[in-house]
Amino acid sequence: MRSLDQLFEHSSRALARRTSRRSLLAGLGQILTGSALLPLLPIDRAGRAQAAEPKPKSQTAGPESCEYWKYCAIDGFLCSCCGGTSASCPPGTTPSPITWIGTCQNPGDGRDYIVSYNDCCGKTSCGNCDCNRNEREKPMYRPSRNNDLNWCMANADSNYHCSVSVILGVSEK
Amino acid sequence: MRSLDQLFEHSSRALARRTSRRSLLAGLGQILTGSALLPLLPIDRAGRAQAAEPKPKSQTAGPESCEYWKYCAIDGFLCSCCGGTSASCPPGTTPSPITWIGTCQNPGDGRDYIVSYNDCCGKTSCGNCDCNRNEREKPMYRPSRNNDLNWCMANADSNYHCSVSVILGVSEK
Amino acid sequence: MRSASLLVAAALNIGMHARAAELPPPLPAEHMKVEALAAAGPHWVYVFDEAFFNETDARVHLFDGDTYRRLGQIDAGFTPGFNLSPDGKTTVVATTYFARGSRGTRTDVVEFTDNATLATTREIVLPPKRAMTLPTLFNVTYSDDGRLVYVAYVTPAASFGVLDPAAGTVLGEIDTAGCVMVIPSGPNRVSSLCESGRVLTVTLDAGGHESSRAMSEPFFDADKDPVFMQGVKIEGGFAFLSFLGEVHEVDFSGAAPAFSPAWSLVSATEKGHWRPGGSQVGAVHRGLHRMYVSMHVGGEGSHKDGGTEIWVFDMTTHRRLARWPVGTMGTMGNLGTVLAVQVSQDGAPILFAATDKSDVVVLDALTGRVRHIEKRLGQTPWMMLNP
Amino acid sequence: MRSASLLVAAALNIGMHARAAELPPPLPAEHMKVEALAAAGPHWVYVFDEAFFNETDARVHLFDGDTYRRLGQIDAGFTPGFNLSPDGKTTVVATTYFARGSRGTRTDVVEFTDNATLATTREIVLPPKRAMTLPTLFNVTYSDDGRLVYVAYVTPAASFGVLDPAAGTVLGEIDTAGCVMVIPSGPNRVSSLCESGRVLTVTLDAGGHESSRAMSEPFFDADKDPVFMQGVKIEGGFAFLSFLGEVHEVDFSGAAPAFSPAWSLVSATEKGHWRPGGSQVGAVHRGLHRMYVSMHVGGEGSHKDGGTEIWVFDMTTHRRLARWPVGTMGTMGNLGTVLAVQVSQDGAPILFAATDKSDVVVLDALTGRVRHIEKRLGQTPWMMLNP
């Protein structure tokens, strides 16, 4: 487990570093055309620029709600409803060492955070708190941003149970 | 397949012969205390004697309805909603050679019929037309009348897909 | 629209700089881990989901009746049986897998899960004879001392397997002459129910093989008033409820089962109208001597119908203490009917009621007050266990 | 009550004797058999159910859009891909099984089902590399001449397997340098989509091994306006819809993919507001040159949102012919939103629309009139195919 965790930390942080600059540039390019502004949010989120009717977001949604800010690109079951938390896997499951990446704005401080989405693996579908959010999510030809893939694919037990979101850091401005 | 069919025919017809006399005696014993009388049904069904609120039955319910008369002891999915009919298995599945037995009254002629319930096997749950009727159904210690058992148990592929009801004959009076 | 947005964006952009000094420090990076379970609480319950519409995917959900949180999951395969070890530390699942998911080579297996980690720690492969049927307390069970595990076989010939969980081996198979299922009876006896209404009890030797067997007198009549196969754990044994509402308490602690005189859940006028029904019809708080039964109005053949009321009985006086109509419980609308009940064994007990809507209702077992409704705890939650 | 019943019973008992002479002859004994499928009809559709809440139990339902009957089922395992052979006679499923249901040794396999019998006739075991992802036309596919089968691999390194279905063998694996999925392109070419917006096309030799590869110019921009991976079958190739509603038609019939100028589903004022969305966003009637698209109002990130309307386009003029609001279809209440569309290819075409309520709506594809709503055709019907 420890070596898997280290692998995860290494690979997804490296990816986050590469990703954040591109996201930042996209964000800056689009900020002045933003129409999806949220209360108390000083900057628009990259990619939301052309949103006509963004889904309602709640600043108070907790980690057992799909509306929780960290979950902006989870399409799956929330581990926080399955015996885990927003960033930890349920007992008896195994985290995926590989992952997809999201950029989510925290309404609490207005910052964009780079988030790693990991799947928890080795048990059958949790089936609780189905959540389908796809902000900046991309099709499979950009796998680092794709949530359709079963990211348990490289685990010894590659069955998908649920998904967590793990803060990697603030998206650099 | 043919040999399995023959085994089924033999074993369940023999069982029906043994069963029908006992059912008949039970039926005669209870007929005069019957309170669950149905329109146009000249005789009460055995075991319904103490019914306080029998489920409504329809004389016109067809084979895709759980209320269809032949299904009086099916707890499972109706094969007639899964690509089969009331007495035939869906394409690609295999009938169970072993079976449980029911005695159902046909509202069309008022007769009690001995019915063999067979499971169709080798594909995963059909999931359509869930039907749960248990007239004269008995717990597992009387397996010939029990519908909780997976009667696909002795098939080469013992997964349960759906259930059929097959008329064996009129319950002898 | 677009120009208005531009103005708002520009204004907020300025606002961002003004507010920068007030911002809290950024959230720290998180480190993913696997959640550890807390020490088991008295209100934890293991909720079995047959997943009947996707029946190869049965599972057991561990649910906390205090926090209303799901604590984890134990996978259970196809038409499994499951049970807990006498010390509550292990969940045992007897199940079947097919090499190609829904078909192909069948493997029957007993799996052991450490309830402190929800990791499967051991399996024992069985002959392909396991009873594929709905769950009861008697599909798979530990001996009272926890040293053996028994698994019911139906092929449809009836027998059972004797397993040594410590060694991970099958010790043998014992024919039961048509009697079915495995009821633990002391450290080295296994009882089964027979169509004649009798109990077959097989005594095992030190190696897990048969040393003797005995047949009891009949205690019920399968024609006139069969008992549910489900059984309800009571002090020293199990109670078997009949379709018409008779309670047969059987003490399995001695060398032979001892039958108490049957008593009735229903009055003479209720009899034949009000009946127990469902997939787990009753539960007993063994310290308070209270029995909870899922009751409905119905006729012959309604024994799997869910309860519209939960009736509470004093096991000592056999008096009914309360009727809790499900339809009027709480203020949360129609709760459906109750298919399974279970009660915690502590002094502030919780009653769990699983419904035909796949919900689990959490009630105060002393007052019947609804505390919580856990929506869709699986597809078909048909049995619940707690230590 | 009881005495009244007695009287009624006695009266009916007499009635029985009076009626005996009128009774029809008894029903004959029935003989159980396995139902045979009729010849395939043009309105048959293969409805893929991911069974997302029990994801090891995916399946494909064969459904008749004329009789509204389910004709049978093809089991599909865990996160499968599936497709039909060019002649429509075979269903190919690429899937994964675990030795212990939800865990244990992983076996990736391609299974072939005879669509005339719904029996699985052959399997080819793969290396454990199959792309575990949502279904598209490009997870597994036949070559245009039906002689080869290609399977997308993602480990997450991208490659694909080349299979000989007649021999039942894996011929080899071809690395795709980060480009993903298998798009058939003539009898011996496989194309994949790349993050750069280009198409990689690998040409195979007679043994199924790579003989050459070529990279196209970009046809979309994954940053500004990515295309759905799903693809829509058109004459000679596939159309790829973009998140913002651009239609990229790609002809895969030649040695290299040929791109038509993109056209838009939306007007300038609709752009960015009305968008295609779902799990199978479009379908084309290739004879009538009509495209059906599931459309909703939404912003960035809404590309999996279901359609509140189905829009109909003329593929030749690129004009919108109709808007069919789902909410007001028929008189059957709220139908939910549309996640997947498919259209039959005959002269009296049927449009199938799978909803987020797990229903499949059957419509007249010429008028939009709702003919039928098939309730709960699986848990999560996310893709539909017909020959």
Side-chain angles (χ1 to χ4, degrees), chain C residues 15 25 28 62 80 86 94 166 186 210 229 232 275 297 305 316 324-325 341 380:
Chain C
L62 178 55
E210 176 174 350
M229 192 66 248
V232 180
R275 295 168 187 248
V297 173
D305 289 8
T316 311
W324 296 336
V341 291
T380 42

Side-chain angles (χ1 to χ4, degrees), chain B residues 9 32 34-35 37 43 64 70 80 83-84 87-89 92 95 106 109 111 113 123-125 128 166-167 170, chain D residues 5-6 8 12 16 23-35 37 57 59 69-71 73 75 117-118:
Chain B
E9 297 264 328
L32 290 180
S35 63
L37 298 162
I43 55 168
E64 294 187 27
K70 278 204 299 176
S80 53
S88 65
C89 287
N106 174 11
D109 64 8
R111 291 188 181 91
Y113 287 85
K123 290 184 185 275
T124 189
S125 336
N128 199 21
V166 182
I167 295 174
V170 175
Chain D
S5 298
L6 266 171
V8 177
L12 286 172
M16 179 177 70
L23 275 179
L27 299 176
E30 295 176 313
H31 295 268
M32 189 170 57
K33 62 186 176 80
V34 177
E35 199 66 13
L37 280 174
D57 193 37
R59 66 278 292 282
R69 286 178 58 88
R70 302 180 195 203
L71 302 174
Q73 177 177 304
D75 294 350
T117 63
L118 301 187

Side-chain angles (χ1 to χ4, degrees), chain C residues 137-378:
Chain C
L137 298 179
F138 311 127
N139 301 46
V140 57
T141 188
Y142 277 85
S143 60
D144 283 357
D145 62 4
R147 291 168 59 178
L148 295 175
V149 165
Y150 313 123
V151 187
Y153 295 164
V154 174
T155 66
S159 60
F160 66 88
V162 181
L163 279 57
D164 181 338
T169 53
V170 179
L171 299 176
E173 175 183 352
I174 295 173
D175 182 273
T176 51
C179 306
V180 295
M181 306 304 261
V182 284
I183 303 170
S185 163
N188 65 337
R189 290 184 301 273
V190 183
S191 294
S192 302
L193 285 196
C194 313
E195 185 173 4
S196 63
R198 300 169 196 263
V199 175
L200 170 71
T201 298
V202 175
T203 301
L204 306 175
D205 64 19
H209 300 289
E210 176 174 350
S211 64
S212 65
R213 63 173 59 201
M215 192 71 100
S216 76
E217 288 304 300
F219 78 92
F220 69 94
D221 184 322
D223 287 313
K224 291 186 180 158
D225 188 19
V227 297
F228 290 92
M229 192 66 248
Q230 300 158 24
V232 180
K233 188 164 172 52
I234 59 174
E235 200 62 46
F238 298 92
F240 293 91
L241 276 54
S242 80
F243 285 13
L244 288 172
E246 301 296 298
V247 180
H248 302 267
E249 295 181 43
V250 186
D251 186 330
F252 286 98
S253 63
F259 306 98
S260 299
W263 56 277
S264 187
L265 301 170
V266 291
S267 68
T269 54
E270 289 163 344
K271 188 162 182 174
H273 303 279
W274 279 99
R275 295 168 187 248
S279 55
Q280 185 179 29
V281 293
V284 167
H285 190 298
R286 298 185 290 280
L288 295 173
H289 306 289
R290 286 194 192 171
M291 173 179 273
Y292 301 84
V293 185
S294 167
M295 299 289 295
H296 69 283
V297 173
E300 194 284 329
S302 70
H303 49 282
K304 295 185 191 172
D305 289 8
T308 57
E309 300 190 1
I310 294 169
W311 288 9
V312 188
F313 294 88
D314 184 304
M315 295 285 283
T316 311
T317 64
H318 304 162
R319 284 187 50 229
R320 184 173 65 202
L321 303 176
R323 293 171 64 157
W324 296 336
V326 180
T328 57
M329 281 177 180
T331 56
M332 302 169 194
N334 181 8
L335 299 185
T337 62
V338 172
L339 296 180
V341 291
Q342 188 52 277
V343 64
S344 72
Q345 296 297 316
D346 60 318
I350 298 281
L351 182 69
F352 298 96
T355 74
D356 63 345
K357 295 184 171 184
S358 315
D359 304 334
V360 171
V361 186
V362 179
L363 305 97
D364 184 316
L366 299 179
T367 66
R369 189 175 67 82
V370 173
R371 294 186 175 180
H372 175 74
I373 298 170
E374 181 69 11
K375 301 298 291 179
R376 281 198 76 76
L377 193 35

Side-chain angles (χ1 to χ4, degrees), chain A residues 9 13 32 34-35 37 42-43 64 69-70 80-85 87-93 95 106 109 111 113 118 123-126 128 161 164-168 170, chain C residues 1 5-6 8-10 12-13 15-16 19 23-37 57-59 61 69-75 117-119 374-375:
Chain A
E9 297 265 326
R13 279 175 207 282
L32 291 180
S35 63
L37 299 162
I43 56 170
E64 295 187 28
W69 70 273
K70 277 203 300 176
S80 52
C81 300
C82 308
T85 70
S88 65
C89 287
T93 67
N106 174 10
D109 65 9
R111 290 189 180 92
Y113 287 85
N118 295 67
K123 290 183 186 275
T124 189
S125 335
C126 157
N128 199 21
H161 184 64
V164 297
S165 65
V166 182
I167 295 173
L168 298 179
V170 175
Chain C
M1 178 72 178
S5 298
L6 267 170
V8 177
L12 287 172
N13 206 25
M16 179 176 70
R19 286 180 67 242
L23 276 179
L27 299 176
E30 294 176 313
H31 296 269
M32 189 170 56
K33 62 186 176 78
V34 177
E35 200 65 12
L37 279 174
D57 194 36
R59 66 276 294 280
H61 296 284
R69 285 179 57 86
R70 302 181 195 202
L71 302 174
Q73 177 176 305
I74 298 169
D75 294 349
T117 63
L118 300 187
E374 181 69 11
K375 301 298 291 179

